[in-house]
Amino acid sequence: MEQPIAEGDAAQLRHAFALAMKARERGDRPFAAVIVAEDGTILAEGLSTQGAGGGGTLAHSEMNACQAVIAAGLPRARLRRATIYSSGEPCAMCSAAIFYTGVGRVVYGLSAAAILHLRNAQPHTAGLSLSCRAVLDSAAEPVEVVGPCLEAEGAVPHQGYWVTGAA
């Protein structure tokens, strides 16, 4: 069920949706993530690099954003107060990476179920069924999870993408 969202969160999530469209336009999967500090400063942006950009597990948008803040050497205390805005619900791998990076809050657009529906995923292509919330609820330090939010807007970058033989 879609969750209500504060205006500041909505603006950042819409930014992630716009970046997801950019990823699609360059030939990658339509996903993006933005890590934002408590004061609203964008710390990192990550676009999917699955597709034209190469693929693989490290090509997920959340992994790219997490790698960027790690490479920047941002202190864990600052990241604990930061939020990652993800155009789609982070997978189990990305959820674990968010925790290990130290980001304290997740806001996502499309639910994993909505993404699977848009992809017309079959059992052999659906991946893990463990939700972001389930992964992060098991974390030693609490990580707030808000989502799904603004799903109709989050679906726009996916429209028609998965029916054209996407990678």
Side-chain angles (χ1 to χ4, degrees), residues 29-120:
R29 289 185 176 182
F31 296 100
V34 182
I35 300 176
V36 179
E38 178 177 46
D39 66 3
T41 303
I42 293 177
L43 301 174
E45 295 176 341
L47 282 68
S48 170
T49 49
Q50 287 183 289
T57 58
L58 296 180
H60 288 206
S61 59
E62 298 89 351
M63 297 295 279
N64 290 331
C66 287
Q67 287 297 321
V69 295
I70 290 168
L74 295 172
R76 188 169 179 90
R78 187 167 191 206
L79 292 172
R80 284 294 304 149
R81 296 184 308 273
T83 299
I84 186 167
Y85 296 90
S86 183
S87 62
E89 182 173 356
C91 70
M93 173 186 69
C94 290
S95 298
I98 290 165
F99 168 74
Y100 286 113
T101 300
V103 177
R105 185 167 179 258
V106 176
V107 177
Y108 67 88
L110 284 172
S111 67
I115 294 166
L116 289 175
H117 177 74
L118 288 167
R119 287 180 52 204
N120 191 28

Side-chain angles (χ1 to χ4, degrees), residues 4-15 85 105 107 150 153:
I5 187 170
E7 192 52 44
D9 286 336
Q12 295 293 356
L13 192 53
R14 287 181 176 116
H15 180 59
Y85 296 90
R105 185 167 179 258
V107 177
L150 307 175
E153 293 177 52

